[in-house]
Amino acid sequence: MKKLLILFLGILSIINVQTVLANDSTVVKTTLPVDDIKLPPGFKATIVAGKLGRARHLVVNTNGDIYVKLERLRNGKGIVRLRDTNGDGKADDSMYFGNYVGTGITIKNGYLYASSNSEVFRYKLNEKNEVANPDAPEKIITGLVDQRTHNSKSIVLDNDGNIYVNIGAPTNACQVQDRTKGSPGQEPCPILEKAGGIWQFKADGKNQSYGEGVRFATGLRNVVGLDWNGQTNSLFVMQHGRDQLSNLYPEMFNDQQSAELPAEEMFELKKGADCGWPYCYYDQQQNKKVLAPEYGGDGKQVGRCEGVTKPVVAFPGHLAPNGLLFYTGSLFPEKYKNGAFIAFHGSWNRAPLPQKGFFVAFVPFKDGKPSGEWEIFADNFAGMENISSPGQAEYRPCGLSQGPDGALYVSEDAKGTIWKITYKP
Amino acid sequence: MKKNVLPVIMFLFLAPVILHAQTKKPISPKPKAAPVSKAVMDRGKEVYLMNCLACHQADGSGVPNLNPHLVKTKWVLGSKTVLVEQILKGSQGKVEIDGETFNNAMPPLPQLTDQQIADVLTYVRNSFSNKASVVSAGEVKSIRAKIK
């Protein structure tokens, strides 16, 4: 009988039965056990929820409710509220609302704010600290550039009634023909009028668009992770640096250089800042902004990049920082207080070299400035080493939020998993 | 009892597979493609490394939500005209695979020669577990002529 079974399985594998067994393949594929997320001693990660689909940013309310913004509708909705009603650490109650996909979600002064890829809405929280009218949000911002590429609209508020929205540039390097060898950079880059920067709007405005907003900072190719630093009272953002240096300029860059360059940059933004894209990029090996090859650069020349805003931290190329959070809780050891956590989605543009990222990093801060080297905090979301293509990654970290008890929450958008990271000495 | 049931279950499992295999017309017009010469595959791979790999990845697996994979898609295995046009004209937001769409744009690559396009498409159609007929430079040439 056993032989017959083996024969049967053999036949199954010879004939292409993918279509028949497609549904079963998910069962066979083992999911990464929770302890496989590697953390420093004393920290523990537990899965709060899973299989939410493309879970982008998340925010935890003061009552512990978790709101997750989805980039793919689920039950026809783009926001899910998760709740743990019996206190076992797992969400056991969910409520879906909002009929739009998107990335940004945050809570401030009694309102929940959420973004589609071209608009921002807000929902009043009632006396029970719940969304009062899930089906009737106020539309506060509308008509922002959405050309698919880099269309996530991440959002954060300051303490003076302003909301900041990233509007990513819909190209790689503002070439006349995007991502095309030999195509020069447009001069000036017309994209910067309506994208490639951070815009500031009134948090309580209605239907604001470019006319009502302020271009707060420019020269930012694409920001997904951003946070307001309460210590410095300023905006910090993470830029995704440009792609394909060796592909587009093989005579100047080899694959090794192209995998490491340019840096993924953390900026502290003052109003009016110009971070240099598309004319400049940051070379973390030379510690300077250099002229992009599309604008006559050769990998060394500085030229017009002399005065542009420099990063406060530079990370290796293409790791894709999608979430930024300044930690203000007291649950974690003193070292983490006021420091920055960054969720890296993981690279695709390091090919043909192995991909990297798929972790949550930490940068210690003192008096509003980085006070040490960045380090990996939570690792192994990919579930494997030597990952050659991002599709192989089990999980891809995307959003960060701090719970009322000081726990760190992480969302990821490959499967839609939410972790809670706690600490016990 | 057990002994009798297993073959029945197996048959029930296999029947749709066999029937499916018999009724389903292969997408490729010529299922029995002649083996492709190593020289063509090597040349095609070289073009792929320089012009496609960044987006579609070394193993053709693509990048989730950004760039589609090249494994047994209807573009890769289907009409050569559509496939060659994909290379010559590029596109954005047009490809949908299993309900997924992709946010990046594929740039047009008309600067590649007819031979390079023929080689890279032959390589793609016979790599990443794809199997389909070769694309010739002549075919690319006539498809290109019709676009202009």
Side-chain angles (χ1 to χ4, degrees):
Chain A
M1 199 40 121
K2 235 184 197 164
K3 268 187 195 156
L4 192 58
L5 188 71
I6 290 167
L7 182 72
F8 165 64
L9 291 175
I11 294 169
L12 275 188
S13 61
I14 290 165
I15 303 169
N16 184 350
V17 288
Q18 260 181 344
T19 46
V20 180
L21 293 181
N23 293 337
D24 293 350
S25 64
T26 46
V27 181
V28 178
K29 196 169 179 199
T30 52
T31 42
L32 190 67
V34 191
D35 344 344
D36 274 13
I37 303 292
K38 295 206 178 84
L39 290 160
F43 287 92
K44 190 175 164 224
T46 50
I47 290 183
V48 179
K51 300 197 178 136
L52 297 172
R54 294 193 55 202
R56 298 285 285 175
H57 285 172
L58 81 170
V59 62
V60 187
N61 200 0
T62 46
N63 62 359
D65 284 351
I66 305 168
Y67 293 89
V68 187
K69 190 75 199 77
L70 306 175
E71 180 52 40
R72 184 68 30 94
L73 294 182
R74 219 176 135 71
N75 306 330
K77 305 292 180 189
I79 302 174
V80 56
R81 186 202 66 201
L82 302 168
R83 189 175 274 173
D84 172 11
T85 60
N86 62 7
D88 69 350
K90 288 191 171 63
D92 47 46
D93 173 79
S94 61
M95 197 262 285
Y96 287 84
F97 63 103
N99 58 0
Y100 50 95
V101 301
T103 290
I105 195 155
T106 189
I107 290 176
K108 186 89 180 179
N109 297 339
Y111 283 90
L112 172 78
Y113 295 80
S115 67
S116 71
N117 291 324
S118 61
E119 302 185 306
V120 183
F121 302 87
R122 72 169 185 172
Y123 302 79
K124 192 161 179 49
L125 300 174
N126 62 20
E127 63 287 349
K128 282 161 70 192
N129 214 349
E130 291 177 359
V131 171
N133 291 306
D135 297 324
E138 296 169 42
K139 186 185 284 183
I140 63 168
I141 304 167
T142 186
L144 306 181
V145 165
D146 172 7
Q147 293 171 29
R148 303 186 74 98
T149 299
H150 303 153
N151 63 0
S152 297
K153 301 294 180 290
S154 309
I155 49 176
V156 71
L157 281 82
D158 64 15
N159 297 316
D160 298 306
N162 299 303
I163 183 166
Y164 300 82
V165 186
N166 164 65
I167 308 179
T171 69
N172 176 38
C174 208
Q175 290 171 279
V176 172
Q177 183 67 252
D178 190 25
R179 298 183 191 264
T180 299
K181 208 185 280 179
S183 179
Q186 299 180 67
E187 182 74 73
C189 175
I191 289 170
L192 293 171
E193 285 168 28
K194 292 191 164 181
I198 304 288
W199 267 254
Q200 183 196 52
F201 298 92
K202 290 274 163 264
D204 61 357
K206 290 225 170 14
N207 290 311
Q208 304 166 86
S209 196
Y210 290 97
E212 293 74 34
V214 173
R215 192 176 73 174
F216 186 79
T218 189
L220 289 156
R221 178 176 174 273
N222 185 33
V223 166
V224 187
L226 76 186
D227 197 14
W228 190 262
N229 184 325
Q231 265 211 321
T232 56
N233 203 33
S234 59
L235 178 65
F236 280 71
V237 304
M238 298 291 318
Q239 178 185 231
H240 286 215
R242 51 91 37 88
D243 296 330
Q244 289 177 276
L245 280 173
S246 65
N247 234 216
L248 300 170
Y249 296 93
E251 65 288 354
M252 278 182 223
F253 304 92
N254 62 33
D255 287 338
Q256 179 77 43
Q257 291 168 312
S258 189
E260 291 299 329
L261 299 175
E264 304 286 59
E265 299 168 75
M266 179 194 284
F267 293 104
E268 178 178 13
L269 295 180
K270 298 279 183 276
K271 190 171 181 173
D274 179 354
C275 299
W277 183 91
Y279 314 110
C280 319
Y281 68 84
Y282 193 73
D283 181 324
Q284 71 275 31
Q285 291 157 356
Q286 304 179 65
N287 287 320
K288 63 181 187 187
K289 283 273 189 186
V290 296
L291 199 56
E294 287 81 2
Y295 292 89
D298 59 1
K300 295 185 192 74
Q301 235 174 292
V302 175
R304 70 203 284 180
C305 304
E306 191 63 55
V308 304
T309 302
K310 281 202 179 138
V312 292
V313 187
F315 297 87
H318 316 297
L319 304 189
N322 273 11
L324 172 64
L325 176 109
F326 284 97
Y327 184 77
T328 55
S330 301
L331 181 66
F332 290 4
E334 188 56 30
K335 153 182 173 182
Y336 295 96
K337 191 93 177 191
N338 301 316
F341 286 103
I342 302 113
F344 284 99
H345 202 217
S347 66
W348 59 274
N349 216 257
R350 297 175 74 93
L353 276 76
Q355 305 296 351
K356 265 193 197 163
F358 316 99
F359 53 64
V360 176
F362 177 74
V363 182
F365 269 66
K366 200 171 183 314
D367 305 325
K369 300 253 179 301
S371 58
E373 292 294 302
W374 71 275
E375 62 191 40
I376 294 177
F377 171 72
D379 201 3
N380 200 31
F381 287 88
M384 63 192 290
E385 291 187 6
N386 258 324
I387 184 157
S388 66
S389 169
Q392 298 163 348
E394 189 76 28
Y395 303 122
R396 302 189 70 189
C398 190
L400 298 170
S401 185
Q402 187 183 310
D405 56 352
L408 179 70
Y409 287 77
V410 182
S411 58
E412 70 82 32
D413 67 359
K415 298 192 170 52
T417 317
I418 313 292
W419 287 269
K420 178 179 185 178
I421 300 178
T422 52
Y423 177 77
K424 242 195 213 139
Chain B
M1 177 63 193
K2 242 186 184 174
K3 272 187 182 172
N4 297 336
V5 169
L6 192 54
V8 176
I9 294 175
M10 287 175 186
F11 177 75
L12 288 177
F13 248 95
L14 284 174
V17 177
I18 293 161
L19 291 176
H20 185 71
Q22 280 174 345
T23 51
K24 196 178 155 194
K25 289 256 180 332
I27 312 170
S28 159
K30 278 183 190 162
K32 275 189 192 161
V36 185
S37 84
K38 187 172 177 302
V40 172
M41 289 295 275
D42 286 350
R43 288 203 312 260
K45 185 171 184 179
E46 204 168 299
V47 179
Y48 187 85
L49 295 181
M50 277 307 297
N51 299 283
C52 324
L53 175 135
C55 297
H56 292 290
Q57 304 288 296
D59 57 356
S61 61
V63 180
N65 313 309
L66 294 182
N67 309 314
H69 67 74
L70 301 175
V71 182
K72 297 182 180 168
T73 70
K74 68 175 186 200
W75 290 266
V76 172
L77 299 182
S79 148
K80 290 185 194 174
T81 307
V82 173
L83 184 57
V84 171
E85 281 180 357
Q86 178 68 35
I87 308 302
L88 290 172
K89 296 204 270 187
S91 69
Q92 187 178 24
K94 291 205 178 129
V95 170
E96 186 180 324
I97 299 173
D98 297 334
E100 299 290 325
T101 57
F102 304 88
N103 275 358
N104 267 355
M106 172 157 160
L109 297 165
Q111 70 276 20
L112 296 178
T113 65
D114 294 339
Q115 191 62 54
Q116 283 176 314
I117 292 175
D119 290 344
V120 76
L121 291 180
T122 299
Y123 169 75
V124 168
R125 279 159 68 90
N126 292 282
S127 305
F128 323 137
S129 63
N130 296 319
K131 191 95 199 83
S133 59
V134 299
V135 177
S136 74
E139 285 171 310
V140 176
K141 189 173 181 212
S142 66
I143 295 166
R144 196 197 291 259
K146 281 192 202 110
I147 293 178
K148 275 176 189 163

